[in-house]
Amino acid sequence: MLKSLARVVTTAARFSARTTTVSWAGTLEPLGRPALCVPNSATIRPFTRSIWMMRNSGSGSGPRPTLLSSRGTPSVSCGCGGLHTEGDKAFAEFLSDELKEERKIKKHQSLPKMSGGWDMDLNGTEAKLIRTLAGEKVTVTFNINNSIPPNFEEEENQGQKSGENEPEIVSTPNFVVEVTKHASNTSLVFDCHYPEDEASHGEGEEESDIFAIREVSFQPIGEADWKETSYTLNTDSLDWALYDHLMDFLADRGVDNTFADELIELSTALEHQEYIGFLENLSGFVKCS
């Protein structure tokens, strides 16, 4: 009986000692193991946090060493209180060169005039052309924003040297024609655009229309926004005879191919003028002047 009791006590003591050894070993092993051997995101965090702590001055008595220097440290050079970095300086120089080039290629010192007795009213990037006829008022509205079509020939011209055979930037905006009769309380509205496949008009034997009607509707006079409840005629599936009469209706009021050509020239000049103004404002903003 005493021998059996002694064996039990001895076994329990050995098991307790082994468990204590394993527990301490399991606790100390991660501390001695290199962090880069762990295949997860925890391998980076201890080092990253060390960088942050070395950069942070903390609340200690002495300054901590800084491992990383701040990129683009600004130096204020004017009284505006803005940042002036080396990147801003390079940006301002680029804008100065860009402005010189754009002013050099500017075709019109003033906006070209439209023939046919059209009066123009400008409001930023939006322009209105107004023509008064016998008992009628015709208003054409367009905006030069997003009016330059993408250059699909860019990939074909990649092998050419810069400045050689570069396509001319042309503004072809959508425009809206409103025809108002004095005796009516509604306007006949035409939503027009320049189709991409008509860019090379005049090359064939017969001259085609360089603009097209997309939609036609009646809208109340004096309303700022068009009513979505008004019936809108889409010309995609329209009878060609009716479409031709609508085009003739516009031509009789001065909206024809000649008008469309002059509108492109006017819109292109206006877009270039606004672009130069944008570059000037951007340059002043970067320079903080």
Side-chain angles (χ1 to χ4, degrees):
M1 183 67 179
L2 293 176
K3 290 182 178 181
S4 299
L5 183 59
R7 286 185 188 143
V8 171
V9 172
T10 302
T11 302
R14 288 177 180 176
F15 179 78
S16 177
R18 182 178 180 183
T19 303
T20 303
T21 304
V22 171
S23 177
W24 277 102
T27 304
L28 295 176
E29 184 177 3
L31 297 179
R33 183 180 301 166
L36 295 179
C37 295
V38 184
N40 53 31
S41 60
T43 61
I44 302 175
R45 287 197 175 276
F47 181 64
T48 305
R49 185 168 181 176
S50 297
I51 295 177
W52 178 83
M53 292 177 66
M54 291 178 70
R55 294 189 62 190
N56 185 14
S57 59
S59 58
S61 58
R64 293 181 179 176
T66 300
L67 181 60
L68 297 180
S69 59
S70 177
R71 179 181 178 184
T73 303
S75 59
V76 179
S77 61
C78 74
C80 69
L83 301 181
H84 295 275
T85 66
E86 291 298 325
D88 292 344
K89 181 180 178 181
F91 194 8
E93 292 176 354
F94 167 80
L95 290 173
S96 179
D97 294 338
E98 185 75 5
L99 277 168
K100 291 179 182 178
E101 292 299 323
E102 293 298 329
R103 289 167 180 155
K104 185 186 303 182
I105 63 175
K106 187 177 181 180
K107 290 184 177 180
H108 304 279
Q109 297 303 321
S110 59
L111 295 177
K113 301 293 184 180
M114 299 286 293
S115 63
W118 294 91
D119 296 324
M120 184 170 61
D121 183 20
L122 284 177
N123 182 19
T125 60
E126 183 182 85
K128 283 188 177 182
L129 300 172
I130 303 172
R131 186 186 188 196
T132 303
L133 303 173
E136 291 185 0
K137 178 182 178 183
V138 183
T139 304
V140 179
T141 306
F142 67 95
N143 197 310
I144 54 95
N145 283 334
N146 303 316
S147 63
I148 298 178
N151 181 20
F152 295 103
E153 300 179 357
E154 184 176 356
E155 296 181 359
E156 300 177 1
N157 298 333
Q158 283 182 351
Q160 298 178 356
K161 296 182 180 179
S162 176
E164 291 184 1
N165 299 327
E166 291 185 358
E168 183 179 0
I169 295 178
V170 177
S171 171
T172 54
N174 300 333
F175 59 95
V176 174
V177 183
E178 299 179 60
V179 180
T180 304
K181 292 182 179 292
H182 296 336
S184 176
N185 58 356
T186 59
S187 297
L188 184 58
V189 180
F190 299 81
D191 183 5
C192 304
H193 69 113
Y194 292 92
E196 295 178 0
D197 57 351
E198 296 293 341
S200 58
H201 72 282
E203 294 181 0
E205 297 180 359
E206 183 179 355
E207 184 180 9
S208 60
D209 296 318
I210 65 175
F211 74 97
I213 303 172
R214 183 186 286 116
E215 293 178 346
V216 185
S217 66
F218 282 102
Q219 297 295 335
I221 298 175
E223 294 288 340
D225 298 323
W226 292 355
K227 288 186 176 181
E228 295 295 335
T229 55
S230 298
Y231 177 75
T232 301
L233 178 65
N234 193 298
T235 60
D236 288 341
S237 57
L238 192 64
D239 179 80
W240 278 106
L242 177 56
Y243 182 84
D244 287 341
H245 280 296
L246 291 173
M247 291 293 291
D248 291 340
F249 180 86
L250 290 179
D252 291 341
R253 284 150 182 84
V255 183
D256 52 12
N257 275 354
T258 301
F259 173 88
D261 270 330
E262 294 180 354
L263 182 63
I264 290 177
E265 185 178 2
L266 171 61
S267 181
T268 301
L270 179 59
E271 197 282 333
H272 195 214
Q273 174 180 290
E274 290 294 320
Y275 176 64
I276 292 177
F278 175 81
L279 291 181
E280 291 173 344
N281 292 334
L282 183 58
S283 177
F285 189 85
V286 172
K287 295 177 181 178
C288 200
S289 60

